Amino acid sequence: MISTGRCALCDGALPPATSEQRRSYCSNACRQRAYRRRATVSAPTPVSSKNLRVLSNLPAARDTFIGRQQELSKLDQLMRRHRLVTLVGSAGAGKTRLALEAAGRLRRGRTDRVLLVELGEVRTPQDVMPTVAHALGVVAESDEPLRDTVLETLVNMKVVVVLDNCEHLLDTCAELTDLLLNRCPGVRVLATSREALWITGEASFHVEGLPVPSTDRDLVTTAAPRSEAVKLFVDRARERTPDFRLTQANTAAVALLCARLEGMPLAIELAARWVQLLPVTDICDRMDEPLELLTLGCRKSPSRQRSLRESIDWSYQLLQPDEQFALRRLSVFDGGFDLAAATEVCSSERSAEPVLDVLSRLQAKSLLTAIPGTTRFRQLESVRLHAREKLVAAGELDVAFEALARWFTDLSDVLITQPLSVPFDVQDKLDNHVDSLLGTVEWAAERFDERLLLLTSALADCAARRGRLGQARVLLRDALRRPSTRDDYRCVALNHAARFAAEQGDHDEAIELSGEASRLVRPLGQPALVMSCRSTLAAVQQSSGEWEASDENNTECLRVAELLGEPLARATCLVDLARTALSLGKHERAENAVMKALPISRASGVPARIASALNTRGVVALVQGDLDESTHAYQEALRMDGINPLTAPDALEGLAVVALMRGQAERALRLEATGRALRRSVGVVPDPFWAEKVAGAMRTARLMLPVARAEAASTPLTATETEAFIQDEVWLDRCEAAHDALDDHERRVIALLATGLTNQQIANRLNVSVRTVASRLQRLRDKLGLQSREDIAAWGAERAIG
């Protein structure tokens, strides 16, 4: 047949037509060009309620989007200001879902079309452009490169291109994005990746896990239902078990589970799938092996999202060999680490790159997190456990732990060379790595390593500084049962165990341990360690009431500290000497000692050391009758070290004695009760001299008050009240404040109660139920800080409430 016309676009001759086909264009290329021209030059349609919907290829949501409202608002602001926004985050953080939600909320005016380009299953750079073209709905033309076809299609359109999962094709995605932004002024790009694209104009938005609730027993019931992480767990659990809900029995377990999963959406969703098989408490108990448990992904999900292990392994496989090596080695750290520790563990001929450079690259790839306000890093627990698996598989576990044990041993050597003057920076470094130190101790115990006793002593010190004296003693007791080839390490452990036993009032064990340490230390030729053992013996004697012997040993320790030229050890000995001098009634000697110790203690910068010296200054001033000076010292000690259960009780009890001497009996009883509660929380007992002084003062305070009022006053301050008292010297007299806050109904109940009526009789008088009376009485007990209905009656009678 002969052509009967010309091409509507290029005016070229049309190919022959058939009876079934009428041609307007000479080729498919002209047909697509004409389509693009019509799409881009057509007059814009006025925006109305009927055309607000943006044309997109986004998948329809199949479940509820939970939380992230602040992130969506911030993301919307970024997309208004920047043409490229990249959502960056670790495996399972929910980057894709957040990007889809943000894109799905776009409205006409700012954009006409949203184009989702899913790159998760794309394996080679050559397949990226065809994937974009397929999403756009164009095909390659014989006489035009596919890239040009895509660009010509987008050049005059207002489009948001969502590039999902760029991390494994980072260079190609960066080139594509750069090309789109340069050639297509109406195009904006929203990318998701585990690493930023690093091109000009990019705004990175870091996606963290969902906020998790407090797991504190007193707060969890109210905090958990408001938590986005908990809401996500409940919503996904109901997909499997429609009647699942938060109850009093499972709320704490759900909150703990979400906290242990660090709020990571993928992990929470996978964990929620188990509710049809296991109670939440059982799921939580199995979280020690989350990579094994979290494997119930959807059959249709991408392979990297079917289990937590596969999701993390996707990131691991994209790393360079030196990055994989470092990530494996860093898995020995539990709870975070600093650059010095990482350098010790990661330095090897296997990794030629500087450790800081490798850490920065791992952080950029969302496999490490910098801890805000510090120079420390941490791994998500799921990432760390995956890396630990790789470490074991590579046969590097013992090598990595050996390096870590060597680093901790070097730090802990001061327990032998400077036991009474351990530098604050060493204490701080050990405290910051305490979880990793525990793991190293467990590793050393399994291998009968000779460093076990020294490392355990360092760990026990960390536990004691946190007020966990019972835990410290258990750790040392277990370690001391094992055979040891290092007498110096054993001596350090015995010395620590003896001091902790004395602080908890276990005198027999303290004497036995201290005696063994003293016998073992003599032939070692370590004068600082000898001094430390003698100082511990003096503390044991002080706690047992052997004040003359304690004074003699403290005096000798002070002499050795001065010979060794150790100022901090000298300050410790001076404070101890002041305490024994007080017990012996040598007040002037005690004052001279503590006044010498104070400036040295202040210079150390260690809050607990300064507070201990100030508490001793407070008691010296107290026995000398200088109440103002005593008050000042105790208050400064509290401000310096806060509610530390190792130092705060002395200060609170001291202020209680001062209050009594000023005629403030109720204040005295409440402060003493607060200090006693803190002591009980860690099991620390005062020395006999101080215990008797405080007990005598409180007996006097109780005699100054009616029995009910004294009992009511003997309740501790709450943590909030204690903090207010420490920081601002705010004192709340609960009873007087509550008296002013009583309403008429409460006053009527108290008046009837004071006449001796029963709950039923009061209910009859007020024309209410007995349950209502009981409820009002409970509220009154809470408001007034009283223990029983009899206390309320006595309190009302004293104040003539009627």
Side-chain angles (χ1 to χ4, degrees):
M1 289 186 177
I2 300 173
S3 174
T4 59
R6 313 295 293 182
C7 176
L9 184 68
C10 69
D11 202 36
L14 292 175
T18 66
S19 59
E20 295 84 11
Q21 180 184 38
R22 295 184 61 186
R23 294 185 181 274
S24 299
Y25 304 99
C26 63
S27 67
N28 286 334
C30 280
R31 181 179 292 107
Q32 290 195 26
R33 289 192 187 102
Y35 163 74
R36 292 198 298 269
R37 185 172 296 177
R38 289 196 303 271
T40 56
V41 303
S42 59
T45 304
V47 176
S48 69
S49 60
K50 294 182 179 180
N51 63 5
L52 288 177
R53 186 180 181 86
V54 174
L55 179 65
S56 78
N57 65 335
L58 299 178
R62 300 191 184 187
D63 49 27
T64 308
F65 183 81
I66 303 293
R68 301 282 199 195
Q69 296 309 307
Q70 290 184 352
E71 289 92 331
L72 286 169
S73 176
K74 178 66 174 176
L75 198 51
D76 183 67
Q77 295 174 21
L78 286 175
M79 292 176 69
R80 290 174 184 269
R81 296 196 300 265
H82 303 274
R83 292 180 62 205
L84 169 60
V85 178
T86 304
L87 303 186
V88 180
S90 60
K95 302 180 293 296
T96 296
R97 188 63 193 275
L98 179 59
L100 295 179
E101 187 69 19
R105 296 189 181 196
L106 294 174
R107 291 291 181 265
R108 289 293 290 269
R110 290 171 53 198
T111 188
D112 297 327
R113 184 169 182 180
V114 174
L115 186 69
L116 172 62
V117 181
E118 298 179 290
L119 300 172
E121 301 302 315
V122 176
R123 291 292 176 260
T124 64
Q126 294 77 16
D127 291 332
V128 171
M129 190 59 75
T131 304
V132 176
H134 176 73
L136 187 56
V138 300
V139 296
E141 300 176 0
S142 58
D143 61 344
E144 184 178 51
L146 183 59
R147 186 189 76 162
D148 293 344
T149 302
V150 170
L151 291 174
E152 285 189 30
T153 304
L154 295 174
V155 68
N156 291 315
M157 298 177 66
K158 294 164 64 176
V159 182
V160 171
V161 178
V162 181
L163 290 179
D164 187 33
N165 292 116
C166 300
E167 57 270 359
H168 60 305
L169 299 163
L170 208 60
D171 291 340
T172 305
C173 289
E175 292 174 6
L176 170 64
T177 302
D178 204 43
L179 183 65
L180 291 175
L181 296 180
N182 285 336
R183 298 278 295 274
C184 306
V187 167
R188 289 175 291 151
V189 177
L190 178 61
T192 73
S193 177
R194 299 181 190 182
E195 182 177 4
L197 299 182
W198 299 108
I199 63 176
T200 303
E202 179 182 34
S204 293
F205 183 83
H206 197 78
V207 181
E208 304 277 1
L210 293 169
V212 298
S214 168
T215 55
D216 184 274
R217 183 178 60 184
D218 297 329
L219 301 175
V220 67
T221 303
T222 55
R226 299 195 299 269
S227 163
E228 292 182 1
V230 170
K231 289 178 181 177
L232 178 64
F233 181 90
V234 172
D235 184 84
R236 300 304 188 258
R238 283 176 177 164
E239 292 178 358
R240 300 288 169 158
T241 307
D243 60 348
F244 180 85
R245 61 187 180 88
L246 287 181
T247 65
Q248 188 174 1
N250 68 17
T251 296
V254 172
L256 179 59
L257 177 62
C258 291
R260 294 189 65 178
L261 295 174
E262 298 172 281
M264 301 305 285
L266 176 61
I268 291 172
E269 291 184 349
L270 293 172
R273 296 176 184 272
W274 284 95
V275 297
Q276 61 187 342
L277 301 174
L278 298 171
V280 180
T281 51
D282 287 358
I283 300 174
C284 200
D285 290 341
R286 287 168 168 77
M287 275 297 108
D288 290 335
E289 298 293 339
L291 299 181
E292 297 295 337
L293 184 66
L294 304 183
T295 56
L296 287 180
C298 177
R299 187 177 291 108
K300 293 295 184 179
S301 298
S303 59
R304 66 185 182 282
Q305 294 179 358
R306 289 178 194 161
S307 76
L308 193 58
R309 177 182 281 106
E310 289 174 333
S311 181
I312 298 168
D313 197 60
W314 168 269
S315 295
Y316 181 81
Q317 298 303 331
L318 298 176
L319 298 177
Q320 298 296 320
D322 61 333
E323 295 169 345
Q324 291 182 344
F325 173 80
L327 192 68
R328 292 196 302 269
R329 289 295 182 89
L330 294 173
S331 69
V332 298
F333 291 110
D334 188 1
F337 53 89
D338 60 18
L339 179 59
T343 300
E344 187 69 30
V345 169
C346 294
S347 295
S348 167
E349 67 283 354
R350 296 269 306 275
S351 178
E353 296 288 336
V355 172
L356 181 58
D357 178 62
V358 179
L359 293 182
S360 66
R361 282 188 274 137
L362 289 173
Q363 182 185 356
K365 296 174 189 293
S366 303
L367 289 166
L368 284 184
T369 301
I371 300 175
T374 70
T375 56
R376 289 165 48 78
F377 302 85
R378 65 181 289 270
Q379 293 173 306
L380 288 174
E381 182 65 7
S382 52
V383 173
R384 189 183 73 84
L385 291 174
H386 178 272
R388 177 68 68 84
E389 287 183 352
K390 297 294 185 182
L391 186 73
V392 173
E396 300 170 350
L397 182 70
D398 285 338
V399 176
F401 266 112
E402 171 59 36
L404 188 57
R406 186 168 55 247
W407 185 71
F408 278 130
T409 301
D410 291 343
L411 281 176
S412 305
D413 191 60
V414 294
L415 299 181
I416 298 173
T417 59
Q418 299 173 256
L420 289 185
S421 53
V422 177
F424 178 66
D425 63 326
V426 173
Q427 291 183 11
D428 190 53
K429 200 170 283 288
L430 289 170
D431 286 339
N432 285 335
H433 293 85
V434 65
D435 295 325
S436 300
L437 178 55
L438 174 59
T440 307
V441 165
E442 292 172 347
W443 173 84
E446 291 173 358
R447 285 153 184 79
F448 300 98
D449 193 288
E450 67 178 7
R451 296 166 293 187
L452 174 63
L453 283 171
L454 182 63
L455 295 175
T456 303
S457 298
L459 180 61
D461 258 357
C462 294
R465 282 193 289 273
R466 296 183 177 192
R468 300 171 182 170
L469 287 178
Q471 179 188 4
R473 293 180 66 190
V474 170
L475 288 167
L476 289 166
R477 191 177 294 129
D478 290 344
L480 284 167
R481 292 194 184 105
R482 297 172 179 266
S484 173
T485 59
R486 292 286 299 261
D487 286 348
D488 52 348
Y489 291 174
R490 183 169 183 82
C491 183
V492 169
L494 287 166
N495 194 38
H496 279 70
R499 185 173 288 273
F500 297 151
E503 289 179 353
Q504 290 198 316
D506 195 341
H507 302 302
D508 292 340
E509 183 174 336
I511 291 169
E512 180 183 350
L513 292 168
S514 179
E516 185 179 350
S518 298
R519 290 190 297 273
L520 201 60
V521 75
R522 294 190 190 103
L524 293 179
Q526 295 278 0
L529 190 55
V530 172
M531 173 181 61
S532 178
C533 289
R534 193 155 191 170
S535 174
T536 297
L537 178 60
V540 172
Q541 292 165 337
Q542 172 80 2
S543 69
S544 303
E546 302 173 55
W547 295 315
E548 291 286 357
S550 178
D551 184 70
E552 181 182 340
N553 280 312
N554 278 324
T555 302
E556 176 60 20
C557 287
L558 178 60
R559 185 187 69 81
V560 175
E562 290 172 341
L563 288 175
L564 293 175
E566 291 190 15
L568 293 182
R570 181 167 176 263
T572 299
C573 296
L574 284 166
V575 170
D576 291 343
L577 192 61
R579 286 283 186 173
T580 54
L582 282 172
S583 302
L584 292 167
K586 301 176 181 179
H587 300 166
E588 185 176 347
R589 185 185 184 195
E591 183 178 17
N592 290 336
V594 75
M595 295 307 291
K596 291 177 182 177
L598 265 173
I600 305 173
S601 300
R602 291 186 193 278
S604 73
V606 182
R609 186 184 289 274
I610 300 170
S612 178
L614 285 167
N615 282 334
T616 304
R617 173 59 185 143
V619 70
V620 169
L622 186 63
V623 298
Q624 291 178 329
D626 190 343
L627 301 187
D628 289 341
E629 177 62 26
S630 179
T631 299
H632 176 76
Y634 285 132
Q635 288 176 339
E636 186 182 354
L638 288 170
R639 286 193 295 271
M640 179 60 62
D641 204 24
I643 313 177
N644 182 340
L646 300 180
T647 60
D650 277 346
L652 291 167
E653 291 164 353
L655 289 172
V657 177
V658 170
L660 173 70
M661 297 176 74
R662 287 175 169 163
Q664 299 168 310
E666 283 185 287
R667 182 185 180 106
L669 288 170
R670 182 148 288 133
L671 286 172
E672 187 275 336
T674 306
R676 181 161 27 92
L678 282 173
R679 285 194 188 280
R680 195 183 313 112
S681 69
V682 294
V684 174
V685 299
D687 67 66
F689 166 78
W690 183 240
E692 179 52 37
K693 187 167 189 63
V694 173
M698 294 308 106
R699 284 194 294 270
T700 302
R702 288 187 178 86
L703 292 174
M704 294 170 63
L705 298 169
V707 174
R709 192 169 177 181
E711 288 299 321
S714 298
T715 56
L717 296 169
T718 65
T720 301
E721 290 170 342
T722 306
E723 192 65 36
F725 174 68
I726 291 173
Q727 297 301 326
D728 304 310
E729 298 180 25
V730 173
W731 179 261
L732 173 65
D733 188 325
R734 290 184 195 164
C735 292
E736 297 309 320
H739 179 277
D740 295 336
L742 293 175
D743 60 32
D744 291 340
H745 293 293
E746 290 170 331
R747 291 175 182 275
R748 182 65 173 149
V749 169
I750 294 173
L752 293 172
L753 191 65
T755 64
L757 297 182
T758 66
N759 285 9
Q760 182 63 64
Q761 291 169 328
I762 295 173
N764 294 339
R765 293 283 186 93
L766 298 178
N767 196 28
V768 297
S769 68
V770 176
R771 180 176 296 179
T772 298
V773 173
S775 176
R776 289 180 180 176
L777 289 175
Q778 181 59 54
R779 287 199 300 270
L780 282 167
R781 280 194 290 270
D782 294 339
K783 179 180 285 190
L784 300 174
L786 301 175
Q787 301 297 313
S788 66
R789 67 194 307 279
E790 290 76 16
D791 293 341
I792 297 174
W795 185 87
E798 290 170 14
R799 290 161 178 78
I801 292 178

